[in-house]
Amino acid sequence: MKFRPQLWITICLIISSAQVLPAQHLPRFLHNREAEALFGKSLANYIKGDYTAAKQGFQTLVESFPTNQRTSAARLMLAKSYYKLKDYNMAFAASLELYDYFPYSRYLPEANLIIGDCKFKQGQTFAAATDFAHVLTGRGDLLLRARAADRLGQMAGAGRLSDRDLARLRSDFGRAIIDEAVAFGNARWSLKLDRPDEYKRRLSLFLEQFPNRTFGPVAQEVLRPRFKPHKEPVPARPDKPAETPIDEPVNAQYKVGIIAPMETSAGKDLRDGILLAREQLPLVSGEQVGLIFKDSEGDPIRAVQAAKSLIEDHQVIAIIGALTSSETIPIASLTGALEVPLVAPTASADGIASLSSFVFQMNATPGAQGRRLADYTVKELGLRTLATLTSRDNYGERIAGEFTAKAEELGGEVIVQAWYESGTTDYRGQFKRIRDAGLALHPPEILASELDSILLGGIHVQPPPPIPVDPDTVDPEPVETLDGLLVAGGREDVLLIVPQVAFHQIHAQLLGSDGWNHPEVARDTYAKNAIFVAKYYDQSDIQSVRQFVDTFRTRFRRDQSIAAALGYDGMLAVLTALNEGGTTRSLLQQQLESLGSIPGATGRISFNKGNRENAWMYLLNIKRGKILPLTDGLDLEPDPVER
């Protein structure tokens, strides 16, 4: 008798009430252009300080439209608008509704911050501190947690928290994180009081007291020396290429703004890729394109300020930037509201392209990687029983979620999803889950004995006595019921995880995301035959890629990087749209949306109406310690709908 693996998984899920699949309870989102336009208009009102109009717009969006791509964000902004209007009861209620309607929203940490602020304004000091501590220990980004630390430091410094209150917080959330947050918030409060020298002094003391802790990178960034360029040119060292001067046209017909942390190596690579594209593709009309560079210093606030300056002071026709998703998302909200085309070259977070019809995303998102990998895994390789092991952050969750959805849509089955936190080095718990799920695909022994009884006509056969063994000398049973295992994370995570797959006797095709796209990973013997997706492959035989690699090396006397390639492609898209008649912001947006497919430095640039995410990418394979193309990617069509 043959049993289907799906049957055993269903039985296990019924028996184990602790197994919950949250994705099944998530609301279905519909993309609604009218809701997108209303959100952009309401956000513009919020940025301008017209909080009454913003509140009305967000309220209308929540109440009058079906669940769409903007519903959860609109609920958060509704709470923010109420808070700005000092209606703390309604701000509190709107934040709680976000929890009720979207229990897995990425905006929940910020909603928790609003709840704490409302309680503080209403005199509930310790309750507010507890909410801020929840933000500190939650999954919000570092800047959001820094804001929570600011509040705790202010409260403690002003004597609003007693020693007993602080002791309770330490007991509930951990002494280390509470003490660090209070010290960090106290140091930052000096800046609020306009005491910059004291601010830096106290941050230095903070770093001495809490080295290598949560808020260390923020403090180090503030204290990092800022060197201004010399007025006189400095001769280049013979062993180092000279910096390329940026000679901008004086009377340029069109101006394009560039936002990035210009002093970083990635920022410089992005800049040089953009400069090279302008040199390689002059406008057919003979008109000049000027580039205006703004340094964001990696700070989202500075990035938004740079975008406002480019739009208001320089009247740019488009903006390319920024480097990271945390910088790009607030820029996209601003440029979308003001209807200025934004090409996001390197930011990879899902949903950036959906912020506005004026936003275009060049890089492959985690969700697109998951869908592409699942498509190849199930349709081309024919793998059916799958598992995932990914980082518990937006990157890992989006890859695993989209991989699972696409695989099951095509007839595959993801039987287990395992997660790990940042900094994990021991993955025994995760591999135990994966092994248990794989071994559960075998028929249960109790059922096998019942079948034997039936076949023997009710004759009972006494089993042989058990033989005592030393468990340390017995190898674990190999798991051979899994067809594929997706491992998604950063390079260091992959290098730690891959050998443990073999150690735990999991015999499955290894699958990966762009975190595998490093020579160090390829040289790991345990990574052989792995298949993964990546946005950039500089060894590609595609003509446009080879031309970019060779030209960049000749022009700048160094090797390119993915930031340079995506910068090149971002500028190439803008120049192509200008050549096609995109001579105003509105016309440029229309031409970018009609770009279709053009060869570029990463391989292919593809945008079309309703899909402004360039989802083109490579499928790569590790063979003999090298990364080799599995396909050239030219058969990949972009996703038919915007995610």
Side-chain angles (χ1 to χ4, degrees):
M1 184 179 296
K2 185 176 181 181
F3 297 92
R4 295 182 61 196
Q6 293 87 343
L7 175 62
W8 302 121
I9 298 303
T10 303
I11 293 171
C12 291
L13 289 176
I14 293 172
I15 293 173
S16 177
S17 60
Q19 297 295 321
V20 180
L21 298 178
Q24 295 177 350
H25 304 291
L26 293 175
R28 177 178 174 81
F29 288 85
L30 300 175
H31 191 274
N32 189 307
R33 290 187 175 277
E34 190 177 353
E36 186 68 51
L38 178 57
F39 183 85
K41 182 178 179 181
S42 304
L43 185 62
N45 285 328
Y46 184 90
I47 293 171
K48 289 188 297 184
D50 190 349
Y51 303 120
T52 300
K55 178 202 73 174
Q56 292 170 347
F58 293 128
Q59 186 74 54
T60 300
L61 195 155
V62 167
E63 294 177 349
S64 303
F65 291 90
T67 303
N68 59 75
Q69 78 282 2
R70 281 297 174 204
T71 307
S72 59
R75 287 190 178 277
L76 175 69
M77 293 308 301
L78 179 61
K80 283 175 167 279
S81 300
Y82 275 124
Y83 184 82
K84 289 290 187 180
L85 292 168
K86 300 183 179 180
D87 191 341
Y88 303 125
N89 287 330
M90 291 302 295
F92 186 93
S95 299
L96 289 181
E97 285 183 346
L98 181 62
Y99 268 89
D100 292 340
Y101 287 98
F102 300 96
Y104 306 103
S105 171
R106 61 191 175 97
Y107 300 121
L108 294 184
E110 193 154 0
N112 218 27
L113 198 68
I114 297 171
I115 290 172
D117 287 339
C118 291
K119 290 179 180 178
F120 181 79
K121 291 291 186 180
Q122 294 173 327
Q124 303 175 51
T125 307
F126 183 76
T130 301
D131 286 307
F132 299 147
H134 276 298
V135 176
L136 276 177
T137 56
R139 291 167 48 196
D141 62 32
L142 182 58
L143 292 177
L144 186 68
R145 284 180 282 160
R147 288 162 59 193
D150 284 346
R151 286 155 169 78
L152 282 176
Q154 175 191 355
M155 294 166 73
R160 301 295 296 273
L161 289 175
S162 66
D163 291 342
R164 182 181 178 186
D165 291 335
L166 289 172
R168 289 173 62 188
L169 290 173
R170 293 185 185 108
S171 174
D172 291 341
F173 298 95
R175 172 178 291 275
I177 186 61
I178 295 300
D179 286 350
E180 182 194 4
V182 169
F184 181 74
N186 267 323
R188 299 237 299 186
W189 190 243
S190 303
L191 185 64
K192 305 281 187 182
L193 300 176
D194 197 22
R195 299 171 184 168
D197 292 338
E198 182 183 350
Y199 173 44
K200 291 185 177 181
R201 181 182 62 81
R202 297 185 72 173
L203 275 184
S204 298
L205 293 174
F206 167 80
L207 282 175
E208 292 177 9
Q209 187 179 2
F210 299 95
N212 303 318
R213 294 294 299 275
T214 303
F215 300 113
V218 180
Q220 289 166 355
E221 179 64 24
V222 172
L223 297 174
R224 182 185 302 166
R226 305 292 179 186
F227 296 103
K228 295 183 178 180
H230 294 282
K231 294 182 179 180
E232 296 181 1
V234 178
R237 289 168 47 190
D239 60 338
K240 181 179 179 181
E243 286 291 333
T244 304
I246 303 174
D247 186 16
E248 291 307 315
V250 177
N251 298 314
Q253 178 69 25
Y254 306 106
K255 297 176 184 176
V256 176
I258 317 296
I259 301 173
M262 294 299 178
E263 295 304 313
T264 65
S265 58
K268 292 175 182 177
D269 285 348
L270 182 77
R271 176 201 66 189
D272 289 348
I274 291 169
L275 289 170
L276 184 60
R278 184 177 63 172
E279 294 172 9
Q280 295 288 305
L281 188 68
L283 296 185
V284 294
S285 63
E287 294 168 320
Q288 298 292 309
V289 177
L291 300 176
I292 302 170
F293 293 86
K294 293 284 187 179
D295 191 352
S296 68
E297 300 183 10
D299 184 347
I301 296 176
R302 289 184 181 274
V304 172
Q305 291 170 343
K308 291 179 69 174
S309 174
L310 289 169
I311 295 168
E312 297 172 0
D313 301 334
H314 300 281
Q315 291 79 49
V316 295
I317 194 170
I319 294 175
I320 300 176
L323 200 64
T324 64
S325 297
S326 61
E327 296 172 273
T328 305
I329 290 171
I331 296 175
S333 298
L334 176 66
T335 58
L338 299 177
E339 298 189 346
V340 178
L342 173 70
V343 176
T346 55
S348 62
D350 282 278
I352 290 178
S354 67
L355 290 171
S356 163
S357 61
F358 279 77
V359 180
F360 299 82
Q361 194 166 359
M362 300 300 305
N363 206 355
T365 66
Q369 292 183 49
R371 295 191 294 274
R372 176 56 172 148
L373 194 59
D375 186 79
Y376 183 81
T377 297
V378 179
K379 287 173 62 176
E380 302 298 327
L381 298 182
L383 306 187
R384 290 293 181 268
T385 55
L386 307 163
T388 66
L389 173 57
T390 59
S391 53
R392 189 178 286 282
D393 52 23
N394 288 337
Y395 175 87
E397 289 173 359
R398 288 295 298 179
I399 288 179
E402 294 296 328
F403 176 84
T404 299
K406 187 67 175 180
E408 296 186 346
E409 174 190 321
L410 296 172
E413 184 176 14
V414 176
I415 65 166
V416 61
Q417 290 182 327
W419 311 91
Y420 65 88
E421 301 292 343
S422 175
T424 298
T425 57
D426 186 347
Y427 301 87
R428 281 178 293 183
Q430 289 85 347
F431 280 111
K432 183 179 185 304
R433 285 198 64 205
I434 295 171
R435 283 184 53 81
D436 289 348
L439 294 173
L441 294 175
H442 294 299
E445 291 183 5
I446 184 171
L447 186 54
S449 64
E450 290 176 0
L451 291 173
D452 289 342
S453 177
I454 294 172
L455 294 174
L456 294 172
I459 302 173
H460 180 69
V461 179
Q462 183 70 28
I467 301 173
V469 295
D470 180 357
D472 292 333
T473 65
V474 179
D475 290 333
E477 179 183 357
V479 176
E480 299 185 350
T481 51
L482 294 175
D483 295 332
L485 171 63
L486 167 63
V487 176
R491 175 185 60 184
E492 299 303 323
D493 297 334
V494 173
L495 288 170
L496 286 171
I497 291 171
V498 169
Q500 296 190 41
V501 176
F503 176 80
H504 288 281
Q505 294 286 305
I506 297 173
H507 299 172
Q509 171 65 56
L510 284 174
L511 309 167
S513 59
D514 56 2
W516 290 66
N517 195 19
H518 297 278
E520 301 93 322
V521 176
R523 289 193 290 267
D524 192 315
T525 56
Y526 294 104
K528 64 181 179 181
N529 299 323
I531 294 171
F532 63 94
V533 290
K535 183 65 180 179
Y536 187 49
Y537 178 55
D538 61 5
Q539 302 299 311
S540 171
D541 290 331
I542 299 174
Q543 183 178 354
S544 60
V545 178
R546 296 265 34 96
Q547 181 179 352
F548 166 74
V549 170
D550 295 340
T551 306
F552 189 95
R553 184 178 292 119
T554 301
R555 174 70 173 80
F556 299 105
R557 291 181 283 168
R558 71 177 191 275
D559 287 336
Q560 34 55 52
S561 68
I562 186 173
L566 288 168
Y568 182 98
D569 282 357
M571 189 63 190
L572 184 62
V574 171
L575 293 169
T576 303
L578 280 169
N579 273 331
E580 295 295 325
T583 55
T584 67
R585 291 171 177 173
S586 177
L587 291 174
L588 186 69
Q589 185 271 343
Q590 294 174 27
Q591 291 300 328
L592 283 170
E593 205 172 37
S594 305
L595 199 61
S597 176
I598 61 174
T602 55
R604 190 174 74 185
I605 307 167
S606 182
F607 294 129
N608 51 57
K609 198 169 185 63
N611 185 30
R612 299 177 308 281
E613 178 187 311
N614 182 29
W616 192 94
M617 69 191 78
Y618 295 91
L619 276 163
L620 301 170
N621 192 202
I622 295 177
K623 293 282 189 183
R624 300 180 297 279
K626 295 182 179 179
I627 297 174
L628 302 173
L630 196 60
T631 71
D632 60 11
L634 295 176
D635 59 330
L636 173 63
E637 293 298 324
D639 291 342
V641 295
E642 185 175 62
R643 298 280 173 160

